[in-house]
Amino acid sequence: MAVITLNGSDLRWECDEGDTIMRSALRAGLGFPYECNVGSCGNCRFDLLEGEIEELRADPPGLSERDRARGRRLGCQASPLSDCAVKLRLMPQYESLFRPQRQAATLVATSDITHDIREFRFRSEATSRFLSGQYALLHLPGIPGGRAYSMANTSNDDGEWHFQIRRVPGGEATGYLFSQLRVGDRIELDGPYGMAYLRENSPRDIVCIAGGSGLSPMVSITRAAAVAPSLAGRRIDFVFGGRTAQDICGKEMLQMLPGFGTNIHYHPVVSGMPEADDGWDGYRGYVHEVAHSLFAARLPSCEIYFAGPPAMGQAIQKMLVDLGVDSTQVHFDQFY
Ligand code: FES
């Protein structure tokens, strides 16, 4: 166990062996800025003033050589080898409503959603408390570093954590999940994390845009929004994009929700070139193009959530900036 001291203050917190400086701060209730948790976004950079650390990821995209030369490191990748002194600005908006915790979770069921998306249901002994849209890190045997996956269900007392995960061709973690993990196996689950959660106190209508593995957090947000008393009567538009007709899914989950067809509207989109017999007669194009054609005039007055591949996220961000949507109404976490 190491003690981390915030420079220029009396503030200090403990970091258990194997934990990182950022995650231990969040567990202690501190607002350590972050987003992805996997070394990509750079939001968790801090100055290492004293002490030794081990970096979990060798060459993380979120840290430039210039940062490194200036003594900066990534909080999500920094595991202390001694007591450390750090410099950064804590921000209250990053304080977790539900502090992340590490716990064992058992795989209790799986079910295939499409040819390459499967739902994995885990159960932990403690309650499963999180905000819809957040994610957890799954630590898989033999695979260094946790992998971030968003929950598809909603906060509950039963310790249930459901993840809808797309198999990545050649992917080490999804290869393990799909091919080796068996019902009854236990892994370590660490969470919740993430800032792209449902804003239940917003008076705005909701637009959720998902592609591929982005299905899971958008389903969770829609499930929670459909029953939140503060959001009663809000319109929810759910746009889901896939490359081919066989990638399309999600409707079967949403149509079980109260308000489906009246307040909740599902818009599936196929982006690939038409094939002779794919049978698809719905929207074609990229999800941001279809969202633009359906709701361009309404988007500036909506709360917008999205998740999916980086190219999709960048295209959506650009569209929203071009439409003048206030960035405080736009919610996403970057993983890549
Ligand atoms: Fe650490 Fe994104 S790089 S939270």
Side-chain angles (χ1 to χ4, degrees):
M1 198 261 297
V3 175
I4 314 299
T5 305
L6 187 69
N7 190 48
S9 78
D10 295 332
L11 196 59
R12 56 193 61 202
W13 67 93
E14 295 177 351
C15 181
D16 287 339
E17 195 176 335
D19 207 357
T20 70
I21 289 179
M22 180 209 86
R23 291 175 206 152
S24 62
L26 296 175
R27 293 185 217 290
L30 303 173
F32 199 121
Y34 77 106
E35 186 173 317
C36 70
N37 229 319
V38 292
S40 297
C41 71
N43 282 11
C44 64
R45 278 174 297 190
F46 70 98
D47 292 315
L48 181 63
L49 304 177
E50 283 173 29
E52 272 187 74
I53 60 158
E54 177 188 9
E55 291 178 84
L56 303 183
R57 192 167 167 181
D59 191 16
L63 192 73
S64 67
E65 276 312 310
R66 193 155 163 257
D67 289 327
R68 192 176 287 285
R70 292 167 65 185
R72 292 198 163 163
R73 296 293 183 268
L74 295 178
C76 71
Q77 300 300 305
S79 184
L81 299 173
S82 68
D83 292 349
C84 291
V86 301
K87 184 174 159 197
L88 76 147
R89 195 153 72 92
L90 299 176
M91 298 184 179
Q93 65 267 37
Y94 291 96
E95 290 169 13
S96 308
L97 182 59
F98 302 112
R99 295 188 190 182
Q101 44 176 314
R102 299 197 285 188
Q103 56 184 320
T106 303
L107 182 67
V108 293
T110 64
S111 59
D112 287 340
I113 295 174
T114 67
H115 63 104
D116 65 355
I117 298 179
R118 181 176 295 171
E119 179 163 292
F120 296 81
R121 295 188 171 199
F122 290 90
R123 190 170 298 144
S124 62
E125 280 174 17
T127 56
S128 174
R129 288 288 176 212
F130 56 87
L131 299 166
S132 283
Q134 288 193 299
Y135 63 86
L137 299 171
L138 303 187
H139 292 272
L140 304 170
I143 299 177
R147 301 299 162 97
Y149 297 106
S150 301
M151 284 71 81
N153 60 330
T154 56
S155 198
N156 61 86
D157 291 331
D158 305 322
E160 292 278 333
W161 305 79
H162 302 174
F163 303 90
Q164 295 167 349
I165 298 174
R166 179 173 168 269
R167 183 168 198 159
V168 178
E172 199 181 14
T174 60
Y176 184 91
L177 282 163
F178 277 72
S179 301
Q180 294 186 52
L181 196 68
R182 300 274 175 259
V183 168
D185 288 351
R186 281 156 71 92
I187 63 162
E188 184 184 289
L189 183 154
D190 181 6
Y193 295 101
M195 303 300 293
Y197 52 81
L198 176 66
R199 268 55 177 181
E200 289 199 17
N201 54 4
S202 166
R204 301 184 186 90
D205 286 347
I206 292 169
V207 173
C208 291
I209 308 176
S213 54
L215 175 72
S216 201
M218 297 301 105
V219 166
S220 177
I221 283 173
T222 306
R223 283 173 165 161
V227 296
S230 60
L231 296 173
R234 295 277 171 272
R235 180 181 170 110
I236 306 171
D237 285 287
F238 190 111
V239 184
F240 181 76
R243 204 176 62 75
T244 70
Q246 65 164 352
D247 297 325
I248 297 301
C249 60
K251 184 177 181 182
E252 63 284 4
M253 302 163 212
L254 304 189
Q255 64 190 5
M256 300 166 70
L257 299 175
F260 184 82
T262 52
N263 294 337
I264 302 174
H265 304 274
Y266 174 76
H267 314 278
V269 183
V270 164
S271 63
M273 294 299 288
E275 290 169 21
D277 60 351
D278 71 356
W280 184 254
D281 61 358
Y283 296 112
R284 285 195 184 271
Y286 291 110
V287 282
H288 68 283
E289 297 169 338
V290 172
H292 187 280
S293 70
L294 290 174
F295 338 107
R298 290 181 46 231
L299 284 170
S301 61
C302 291
E303 211 70 45
I304 299 154
Y305 304 87
F306 64 84
M312 184 202 95
Q314 285 155 11
I316 293 172
Q317 278 179 277
K318 180 174 183 322
M319 171 190 71
L320 297 175
V321 168
D322 291 346
L323 288 172
V325 179
D326 192 306
S327 61
T328 59
Q329 295 163 225
V330 181
H331 312 285
F332 64 99
D333 284 322
Q334 304 183 56
F335 310 104
Y336 49 86

